[in-house]
């Protein structure tokens, strides 16, 4: 490789250097590695440049190191540079745990060149699950950062993500994850799974083997050229579907990629075409999507780059996905016309496996950041993808939206533990409802993606429905469970009045129980009530709808007026709740008076009062056609207005001045 030749020339000159320049030599080697994005090697040499003992543990900051930097003022500038570069190399290598310690030192530097140390320090704290400390670090960064660019805005977004993460960890969702065995998750990156006909495909970066041995190439030491193992090469592998066993047979897919690295396979549902990302290990590393076809003998053809509909010269196209119905081809690209960095695009798939022109999935899906690793379920109409451009746990998070490639709902974060504080990408489903599958994540790794089996847990919601008066079970009642995450689920009570649901979300839900000739009953369960349980049981009773009118208590009006008092509006909300809970009933709302005054006057007053109640309920959203109003004046008393010999009966007149409703349609 070209950068190794550069290092070799540098090292030939370094071999003549005097001992006092060892630190400078290491710094130059580290810089070359850094420029070529070999961050682990760069970190090793920045560590040597800082003259840290080679037998020190990893990248741990030695005791008294920061004091030494301050005291050795002639070398202060070099020390600060090496510390910042070491921290950055570790961060880019995704060793956030060690990077955090070095950024903590760099964050105290006064040189404006290192002003971003505070931001990256916050990023490392967040990645290490120290969310409250990360919030403080971002807030300090915002106050101190002198440059008017996008980093303050990013810091504000990261604070929101930390708050989101704190809540998610407090109230984890119903997912269980388990890492696949070691011969699938071999050293290096393992990611981007696909399934077809009981064959499990995945990408792995493993050392290239030649004649059963590791291939070697020229590497570097501080003073001489040495041999080292070849860089890990991305390729496609297969394994048996039952990947949770201790031993899994893994084999490499034979695709003649012509010295290219290949990754992220997508299988056409007919099994005869495989799409994947491929690139050559050059400086630009432009990624394109290729197709390989299976022959009658089961061999894969030489890959062919997809046309300009998918691959645009000078831009990256990657991470293909073909829907299980074979209709849509979805991928990620930084081609022009997008909303941010990498956007999600789609194209129609022709019968021969080629595609039409790519179209952007739109601003509702794509963010200003990177949107990648798409998955679409034609049965549920749900799109799952990963992005680092929205509020989330950190790094790439999974989001889900529902739609039909023209209209989409707003994407929702799938939360913790489906998402972690690091990168989470590439969902592959094992069933039609996406309750089980595989994801790729570096949540348990210092550097690299690993493959996890993920399965939704089940929350059992069960109970018994009875008659409130007789206490007997109610058979044939309809029970509806509604949740923002799950939509609507319906069941019917059995002969013993029992009902049961198995749900895969604990983010809160609403229960509605209805039976003909009974008032409905509604129950709401919040996230806080559900987070610590796996079974919810409860007995509900329903009240029969009476034939006679039901008096609404404490419905009062201004004197000689049909205007409702404020307290009466509050009391009418009980009837509003009944109308909301019982969506099929219709009512007559009637008003009555005592017999003080003329019959004509009281009839008119009662009619206006009944109408004012209906008008209030209409203002709250109840459909007018479900209600009628009627004034009865003093024609239907329920108590005597006067006692014997014409004596006034205030208690009786108070009972007669009432507002009531009766159900006219059940």
């Amino acid at each position: 490789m070209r950068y190794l030749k550069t290092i070799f020339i540098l090292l030939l000159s370094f071999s003549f250097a005097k001992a006092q320049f060892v630190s400078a030599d290491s710094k130059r080697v580290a810089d070359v590695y850094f420029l070529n994005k070999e961050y682990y090697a760069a970190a090793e040499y920045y560590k040597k440049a800082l003259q840290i003992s080679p037998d020190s543990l990893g990248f741990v900051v030695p005791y008294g190191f920061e004091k030494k930097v301050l005291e050795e003022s002639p070398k202060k500038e070099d020390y600060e540079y090496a510390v910042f570069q070491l921290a950055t190399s570790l961060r880019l290598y995704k060793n956030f745990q060690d990077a955090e310690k070095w950024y903590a030192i760099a964050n105290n530097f006064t040189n404006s060149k290192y002003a971003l140390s505070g931001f990256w320090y916050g990023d490392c704290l967040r990645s290490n699950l120290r969310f409250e400390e990360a919030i403080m670090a971002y807030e300090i960064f915002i106050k101190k950062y002198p440059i008017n660019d996008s980093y303050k805005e990013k810091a504000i977004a990261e604070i929101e993500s930390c708050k989101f993460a704190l809540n998610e960890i407090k109230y984890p969702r119903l997912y269980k994850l388990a890492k696949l065995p070691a011969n699938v998750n071999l050293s290096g990156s393992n990611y981007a799974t696909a399934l077809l006909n009981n064959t499990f495909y995945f990408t792995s970066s493993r050392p290239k083997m030649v004649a059963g041995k590791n291939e070697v190439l020229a590497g570097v030491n501080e003073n001489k050229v040495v041999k080292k193992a070849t860089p890990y090469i991305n390729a496609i592998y297969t394994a048996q579907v039952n990947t949770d066993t201790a031993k899994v047979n893994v084999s490499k897919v034979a695709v003649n990629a012509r010295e290219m690295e290949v990754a992220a396979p997508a299988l056409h549902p007919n099994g005869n075409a495989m799409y994947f990302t491929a690139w050559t290990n050059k400086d630009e590393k432009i990624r394109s999507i290729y197709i390989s076809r299976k022959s009658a003998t089961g061999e894969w053809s030489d890959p062919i780059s997809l046309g300009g509909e998918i691959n645009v010269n000078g831009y990256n196209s990657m991470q293909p996905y073909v829907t299980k119905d074979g209709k849509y081809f979805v991928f990620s690209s930084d081609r022009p016309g997008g909303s941010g960095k990498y956007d999600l695009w789609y194209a129609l798939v022709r019968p021969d496996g080629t595609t039409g022109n790519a179209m952007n999935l739109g601003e509702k899906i794509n963010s200003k950041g990177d949107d990648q690793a798409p998955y679409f379920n034609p049965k549920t109409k749900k799109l799952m993808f990963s992005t680092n451009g929205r509020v989330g746990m950190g790094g790439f998070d999974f989001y889900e939206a529902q739609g039909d490639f023209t209209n989409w709902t707003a994407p929702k974060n799938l939360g913790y533990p489906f998402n972690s504080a690091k990168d989470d990408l590439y969902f592959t489903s094992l069933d039609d409802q996406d309750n089980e599958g595989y994801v790729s994540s570096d949540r348990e790794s210092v550097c690299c993606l690993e493959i996890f089996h993920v399965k939704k847990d089940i929350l059992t919601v069960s109970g018994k429905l009875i008659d409130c008066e007789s206490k007997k079970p109610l058979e044939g009642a309809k029970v509806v469970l509604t949740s923002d995450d799950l939509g609507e689920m319906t069941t019917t009570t059995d002969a013993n009045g029992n009902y049961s649901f198995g749900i895969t979300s604990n983010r809160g839900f609403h229960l509605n129980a209805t039976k003909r000739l009974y008032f409905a009953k509604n129950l709401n369960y919040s996230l806080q009530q559900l987070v610590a349980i796996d079974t919810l049981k409860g007995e509900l009773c329903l009240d029969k709808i009476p034939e006679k009118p039901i008096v609404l208590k404490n419905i009062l009006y201004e004197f000689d007026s049909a205007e409702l008092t404020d307290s009466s509006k509050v009391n009418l909300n009980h009837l509003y709740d009944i109308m909301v809970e019982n969506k099929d009933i219709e009512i007559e709302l009637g008003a009555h008076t005592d017999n003080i005054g003329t019959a004509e006057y009281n009839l008119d007053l009662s009619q206006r009062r009944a109408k004012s109640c209906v008008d209030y309920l209409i203002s709250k959203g109840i459909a007018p056609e479900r209600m009628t109003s009627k004034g009865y004046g003093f024609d239907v008393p329920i108590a005597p207005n006067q006692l014997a010999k014409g004596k006034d009966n205030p208690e009786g007149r108070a009972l007669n001045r009432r507002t009531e409703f009766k159900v006219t349609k059940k």
Side-chain angles (χ1 to χ4, degrees):
M1 299 180 185
R2 188 170 65 191
Y3 75 89
L4 288 172
K5 293 179 181 178
T6 305
I7 293 174
F8 181 70
I9 294 169
L10 283 171
L11 290 174
L12 287 178
S13 64
F14 293 166
S15 64
F16 300 103
K18 294 182 180 179
Q20 61 264 33
F21 296 108
V22 170
S23 177
D25 291 350
S26 296
K27 171 182 169 296
R28 291 172 191 170
V29 176
D31 287 345
V32 174
Y33 272 123
F34 188 89
L35 288 172
N36 286 281
K37 300 182 180 180
E38 296 284 337
Y39 298 120
Y40 182 84
E44 287 285 354
Y45 278 90
Y46 285 126
K47 177 182 173 181
K48 291 183 179 182
L50 290 165
Q51 299 179 343
I52 298 172
S53 171
D55 60 357
S56 63
L57 180 64
F59 297 98
V60 175
V61 180
Y63 176 76
F65 177 84
E66 190 170 3
K67 182 179 179 182
K68 178 182 177 184
V69 171
L70 296 174
E71 288 177 350
E72 298 197 22
S73 56
K75 294 184 178 181
K76 181 179 178 182
E77 185 174 344
D78 289 339
Y79 272 121
E80 289 186 343
Y81 173 83
V83 167
F84 181 80
Q85 287 296 102
L86 173 56
T88 302
S89 299
L90 292 168
R91 173 176 60 83
L92 294 174
Y93 185 66
K94 299 196 175 181
N95 183 350
F96 298 107
Q97 188 169 359
D98 290 331
E100 175 197 316
K101 301 176 179 68
W102 292 99
Y103 275 126
I105 296 173
N107 195 27
N108 293 317
F109 296 164
T110 56
N111 192 322
S112 61
K113 290 191 297 185
Y114 310 118
L116 283 175
S117 296
F119 179 84
W120 299 125
Y121 179 52
D123 258 22
C124 292
L125 287 167
R126 175 188 51 72
S127 297
N128 294 330
L129 305 180
R130 298 167 65 179
F131 298 110
E132 291 179 345
E133 293 172 77
I135 290 172
M136 293 177 60
Y138 287 127
E139 288 174 343
I140 292 171
F141 168 77
I142 291 169
K143 292 178 181 178
K144 290 172 57 178
Y145 190 58
I147 304 171
N148 187 22
D149 60 16
S150 62
Y151 278 98
K152 283 188 177 180
E153 183 179 344
K154 290 179 181 178
I156 293 171
E158 292 295 347
I159 289 172
E160 292 305 309
S161 289
C162 287
K163 292 177 180 177
F164 173 83
L166 284 168
N167 187 69
E168 284 293 317
I169 290 176
K170 184 178 180 181
Y171 303 113
R173 302 179 189 234
L174 296 177
Y175 293 103
K176 290 182 178 179
L177 287 92
K179 189 164 66 173
L180 298 195
N183 52 343
V184 172
N185 284 314
L186 205 63
S187 59
S189 293
N190 302 279
Y191 60 100
T193 60
L195 288 170
L196 184 69
N197 299 330
N198 295 322
T199 302
F200 176 83
Y201 294 77
F202 68 104
T203 306
S204 184
S205 60
R206 304 182 178 204
K208 186 176 181 181
M209 304 297 291
V210 177
K213 296 181 179 180
N214 281 355
E215 181 182 345
V216 296
L217 50 79
V220 297
N221 197 347
E222 187 171 312
N223 296 307
K224 61 182 178 180
V225 178
V226 298
K227 290 182 177 181
K228 72 169 189 177
T230 181
Y232 286 20
I233 302 299
N234 288 273
I236 298 170
Y237 294 80
T238 60
Q240 62 203 46
V241 171
N242 187 19
T243 52
D244 58 352
T245 57
K247 293 183 178 180
V248 179
N249 294 321
V250 174
S251 57
K252 187 176 179 180
V253 176
V255 176
N256 183 16
R258 298 183 299 275
E259 301 303 317
M260 292 190 297
E261 296 195 52
V262 296
L267 285 300
H268 192 285
N270 64 19
N272 295 325
M274 177 168 60
Y275 308 84
F276 50 82
T277 310
W279 67 96
T280 55
N281 208 354
K282 296 179 179 179
D283 290 344
E284 62 273 14
K285 294 185 180 178
I286 294 295
R287 286 159 169 77
S288 301
I289 297 175
Y290 286 71
I291 183 173
S292 181
R293 299 182 185 275
K294 184 179 283 188
S295 68
T297 59
E299 297 177 344
W300 292 103
S301 69
D302 291 351
I304 300 173
S305 175
L306 294 184
E309 298 92 347
I310 304 299
N311 298 314
V312 177
N313 287 337
Y315 296 91
N316 294 280
S317 292
M318 61 185 191
Q319 301 167 340
Y321 178 76
V322 182
T323 56
K324 290 181 180 179
D325 57 8
K327 292 182 178 180
Y328 295 102
F329 182 90
V330 197
F331 65 103
S332 180
S333 177
D334 61 355
R335 62 197 284 164
S339 301
K341 298 175 182 177
Y342 279 88
D343 269 24
L344 295 182
W345 299 74
Y346 77 100
L348 298 177
V349 181
R350 302 187 184 105
D352 64 354
T354 60
T355 70
N357 289 320
M359 294 167 279
N360 192 279
L361 276 181
E363 293 183 357
K364 205 159 194 178
I365 297 298
N366 291 308
S367 68
K368 293 181 180 179
D370 295 313
D371 302 284
Q372 298 185 4
Y375 163 81
F376 180 76
N377 186 331
K379 290 192 174 182
T380 63
K381 305 296 183 185
K382 288 184 178 180
L383 172 74
M384 193 185 298
F385 64 100
S386 295
T387 180
N388 60 11
R390 299 176 183 271
V391 170
M393 291 290 298
F396 279 94
D397 269 20
F398 282 106
Y399 285 77
E400 191 175 71
Q402 193 161 17
D404 56 4
F405 287 91
T406 54
N407 294 303
W408 297 101
T409 60
K412 292 182 179 179
N413 190 295
L414 290 178
Y416 175 82
F418 199 91
N419 290 312
S420 70
K422 293 187 178 181
D423 289 335
D424 304 281
L425 305 99
Y426 302 109
F427 176 76
T428 299
S429 182
L430 280 168
D431 61 24
D432 289 339
Q433 296 299 313
D434 303 335
N435 290 325
E436 185 177 8
Y438 299 101
V439 295
S440 306
S441 176
D442 61 353
R443 64 184 64 198
E444 295 182 10
S445 170
V446 171
C447 66
C448 308
L449 291 173
E450 298 174 309
I451 300 171
F452 291 77
H453 175 258
V454 60
K455 187 176 183 179
K456 289 183 178 178
D457 210 350
I458 302 296
L459 171 63
T460 301
V461 180
S462 61
K464 187 173 185 177
L465 212 59
I466 62 173
D467 182 296
C468 289
E469 185 175 359
S470 69
K471 308 301 181 185
K472 292 181 179 180
L474 294 176
E475 181 182 2
K478 180 181 176 182
V479 184
V480 179
L481 185 149
T482 307
S483 162
D484 288 342
D485 286 353
L486 304 172
E488 187 173 285
M489 304 171 68
T490 302
T491 190
T492 303
T493 56
D494 62 18
N496 296 314
N498 294 320
Y499 64 90
S500 181
F501 297 95
I503 63 174
T504 56
S505 172
N506 62 349
R507 311 319 281 180
F509 61 85
H510 175 83
L511 272 182
N512 174 256
T514 58
K515 184 173 174 60
R516 188 174 178 275
L517 305 181
Y518 284 82
F519 283 122
K521 180 68 65 78
N522 283 273
L523 290 175
N524 290 297
Y525 291 94
S526 68
L527 165 63
Q528 289 79 3
Q529 290 174 287
L530 300 174
V531 71
I533 63 172
D534 55 15
T535 302
L536 180 67
K537 294 183 178 180
E539 189 175 89
L540 295 174
C541 72
L542 299 186
D543 290 300
K544 278 187 176 179
I545 298 175
E547 296 297 329
K548 63 181 182 180
I550 301 169
V551 176
L552 295 168
K553 295 181 179 180
N554 300 316
I555 304 299
L556 306 174
Y557 308 88
E558 300 295 340
F559 177 72
D560 198 29
S561 170
E563 184 178 350
L564 286 165
T565 63
D566 289 340
S567 62
S568 296
K569 292 178 181 179
V570 172
N571 293 325
L572 265 178
N573 288 338
H574 171 65
L575 179 55
Y576 167 78
D577 292 338
I578 292 175
M579 297 297 289
V580 170
E581 293 174 354
N582 298 266
K583 298 184 183 300
D584 296 329
I585 69 171
E586 296 178 5
I587 65 168
E588 176 197 281
L589 208 151
H592 301 260
T593 66
D594 58 21
N595 65 351
I596 303 299
T598 66
E600 293 79 11
Y601 172 80
N602 279 290
L603 184 64
D604 175 69
L605 179 62
S606 62
Q607 179 60 53
R608 288 187 287 117
R609 285 178 170 176
K611 187 175 182 303
S612 70
C613 293
V614 169
D615 289 344
Y616 174 74
L617 294 173
I618 291 173
S619 73
K620 294 268 291 180
I622 304 300
E625 58 269 21
R626 294 180 61 196
M627 300 177 291
T628 58
S629 60
K630 184 174 182 179
Y632 288 89
F634 52 64
D635 289 344
V636 190
I638 57 174
N641 288 294
Q642 284 83 29
L643 299 175
K645 299 181 181 180
K647 184 178 180 182
D648 186 37
N649 183 15
E651 292 81 6
R653 285 193 295 104
L655 291 172
N656 290 329
R657 295 191 301 271
R658 68 194 186 279
T659 301
E660 59 191 16
F661 77 95
K662 63 182 177 182
V663 178
T664 57
K665 179 184 176 182
K666 301 178 182 179

